[in-house]
Amino acid sequence: MRIALVTGITGQDGSYLAEFLLAKGYTVHGLVRRSSTFNTDRIDHLYRDPHDPQARAFLHYGDLTDGTGLRHVLERVRPDEVYNLGAQSHVMVSFVQAEYTADVVATGTLRLLEALRDHMKVTGRQVRLYQAGSSEMFGASPPPQNEQTPFHPRSPYGASKVAAHLYAVNYREAYGMFVVNGILFNHESPRRGETFVSRKITRAAGRIKLGLQEKLYLGNLDARRDWGFAGDYVEAMWLSLQQAEPGDYVVATGESRSVRDFLDEAFGYLDLDWREHVFVDPRYIRPAEVDHLQGDAGRAREKLGWQAKVGFRELVRMMVDHDLDLARQEKTLRDAGHEIFLRGVGSGHG
Ligand code: NAP
Ligand code: F7E
């Protein structure tokens, strides 16, 4: 039975990846940050009491800012594959918390590489590492972007992902480690954090439809993104670690849409006109923007046999359906006299 360790298991991708690996028969260990409230909502359905002999998912406290802790987890888990998905992943927040973002995203990856290098040296074991890189590394480079496109990041987050990518390449070349860099374009799902634009829109559309909200404040509506479904992208992560040789892979749908297109699709699906509800608030305009991302995933298609299954319209509708359900639940509770406080929605940097 193969053993995987996933940093960022409580995030959107971590939850889909854990499901995927468990279905493949893996034992899955995840790193979780200690928090004063529970932060495991996305994976609660996968978790069983560790005393249960059937349990195959285990959680360990850890943090990418704590190298010693990472080493202890590696010693305890002895994984075959490590997926580094942990990150301060919000681009706008990275302008506000630049040093912290670099510490987690760039230096955190370096800590993990160092810990893994030592672990392999001491134990003689071979461990494969997946590094979750981002299309934000391309930033201002014009589309379509592929593995040869120069990096020109436009945020502390993008710059930190470039550093992590280059550390990974260096450890591959210097120490012969099996490290794969994914270059993942935007991918979304009903589990997407509520301050990313896709989910912010689908949450608002559902609530507006049911009269729970009137307005939605957004930033730059002209930005174009290549939006895919997170469930498809975790398969590409796994496939790229099963190859004979490590390499770098762009993971994308190849289609690019604007934020306006997203609004058209989400609100249109509910017979709403977004122009009556959406207002631009400068607080959501970034100090530097990434205007146009459109990935060329030809290499992943050729080498991994991977391509996105879920298209733009299906993705948006899946998210709207989910969020309309959430809004219905909220309305039922409100109508019964309960006071509801929404987490995240309308927060300062969303
Ligand atoms: P996400 O939902 O924001 O999840 C991030 C995960 O990282 C969470 O589990 C979070 O824990 C954890 N984390 C944050 N700070 C950490 C720290 N200091 N130490 C350890 N873990 C930490 O992100 P995602 O969308 O699943 O993305 C997964 C990875 O892919 C990230 O590295 C992201 O940068 C990258 N990526 C994502 C996309 C995309 O479109 N989704 C595209 C390209 C690359 P908490 O739950 O406790 O916050
Ligand atoms: O913004 C514009 C915003 O925050 C998309 C992360 O997963 O994908 C994600 O980063 C676009 C940008 O995602 C609002 O200016 C307009 O142009 O949903 P987002 P992102 O910045 O592309 C990459 C690949 C990652 O690696 C990251 O981890 O939408 N936009 N109005 C807005 N964005 C937000 N968040 N909120 C707004 O109100």
Side-chain angles (χ1 to χ4, degrees):
M1 196 186 284
R2 295 185 70 71
I3 300 173
L5 172 64
V6 182
T7 75
I9 195 167
T10 56
Q12 171 190 253
D13 292 6
S15 67
Y16 283 106
L17 180 65
E19 274 171 13
F20 179 88
L21 294 172
L22 288 168
K24 287 246 170 251
Y26 280 68
T27 296
V28 176
H29 294 261
L31 205 66
V32 289
R33 301 197 288 172
R34 195 270 159 180
S35 137
S36 67
T37 53
F38 287 118
N39 56 357
T40 54
D41 294 12
R42 292 186 179 103
I43 51 168
D44 284 344
H45 61 295
L46 302 175
Y47 192 69
R48 294 169 83 148
D49 186 321
H51 303 98
D52 180 340
Q54 304 296 321
R56 283 194 292 119
F58 303 93
L59 300 178
H60 307 263
Y61 281 122
D63 197 300
L64 286 159
T65 59
D66 173 21
T68 311
L70 292 176
R71 285 164 189 272
H72 292 159
V73 172
L74 282 175
E75 280 162 27
R76 209 171 326 140
V77 171
R78 295 170 72 84
D80 301 297
E81 297 171 8
V82 178
Y83 295 84
N84 186 29
L85 309 186
Q88 188 304 93
S89 73
H90 202 286
V91 172
M92 188 59 154
V93 172
S94 80
F95 287 102
V96 182
Q97 292 195 283
E99 283 179 36
Y100 173 71
T101 300
D103 195 18
V104 177
V105 174
T107 311
T109 303
L110 184 62
R111 287 185 190 101
L112 186 58
L113 283 161
E114 275 290 275
L116 208 50
R117 178 166 82 93
D118 287 349
H119 175 76
M120 291 199 293
K121 198 163 147 194
V122 169
T123 62
R125 306 178 65 248
Q126 289 302 312
V127 185
R128 297 182 169 200
L129 173 66
Y130 184 86
Q131 165 56 21
S134 166
S135 51
E136 285 293 304
M137 301 190 299
F138 296 128
S141 281
Q145 294 96 359
N146 66 21
E147 293 81 3
Q148 272 73 52
T149 304
F151 294 144
H152 185 155
R154 299 273 285 164
S155 64
Y157 169 80
S160 299
K161 282 288 183 188
V162 171
H165 176 99
L166 295 176
Y167 289 141
V169 171
N170 180 241
Y171 275 58
R172 204 157 65 197
E173 292 174 355
Y175 306 116
M177 288 170 62
F178 194 109
V179 186
V180 166
N181 279 306
I183 306 179
L184 304 157
F185 282 62
N186 298 54
H187 45 279
E188 321 295 313
S189 73
R191 298 183 199 167
R192 184 59 144 155
E194 296 187 18
T195 60
F196 295 95
V197 78
S198 59
R199 190 82 199 286
K200 198 170 158 184
I201 291 171
T202 58
R203 275 297 263 145
R207 299 187 79 241
I208 288 169
K209 182 71 185 174
L210 295 194
L212 295 165
Q213 175 178 339
E214 276 178 27
K215 296 178 178 175
L216 169 62
Y217 293 98
L218 295 176
N220 176 15
L221 307 185
D222 296 318
R224 299 187 71 86
R225 290 290 183 276
D226 180 329
W227 278 295
F229 171 53
D232 287 347
Y233 287 43
V234 299
E235 185 187 11
M237 295 179 188
W238 176 77
L239 282 169
S240 62
L241 277 198
Q242 313 311 312
Q243 305 304 303
E245 298 295 331
D248 302 337
Y249 297 95
V250 160
V251 184
T253 68
E255 282 183 41
S256 183
R257 310 288 177 129
S258 67
V259 174
R260 276 174 215 281
D261 294 335
F262 203 108
L263 285 163
D264 275 339
E265 191 60 49
F267 278 68
Y269 183 45
L270 296 180
D271 296 319
L272 294 169
D273 182 352
W274 62 265
R275 287 166 196 82
E276 292 169 9
H277 303 280
V278 172
F279 298 86
V280 171
D281 182 338
R283 86 166 66 181
Y284 299 120
I285 306 276
R286 297 170 181 187
E289 177 61 288
V290 170
D291 294 324
H292 193 169
L293 292 173
Q294 180 170 13
D296 166 7
R299 185 166 196 269
R301 196 164 49 243
E302 190 192 316
K303 303 254 183 208
L304 309 179
W306 180 88
Q307 67 181 48
K309 296 186 189 90
V310 176
F312 179 71
R313 171 179 284 201
E314 196 184 339
L315 170 68
V316 177
R317 292 183 173 198
M318 175 202 307
M319 293 175 71
V320 172
D321 282 338
H322 176 272
D323 285 342
L324 187 60
D325 259 2
L326 275 188
R328 281 198 192 103
Q329 289 168 29
E330 184 189 343
K331 188 162 177 356
T332 305
L333 287 171
R334 275 184 197 251
D335 290 349
H338 295 279
E339 213 171 347
I340 307 291
F341 297 100
L342 286 185
R343 293 187 298 180
V345 174
S347 84
H349 302 294

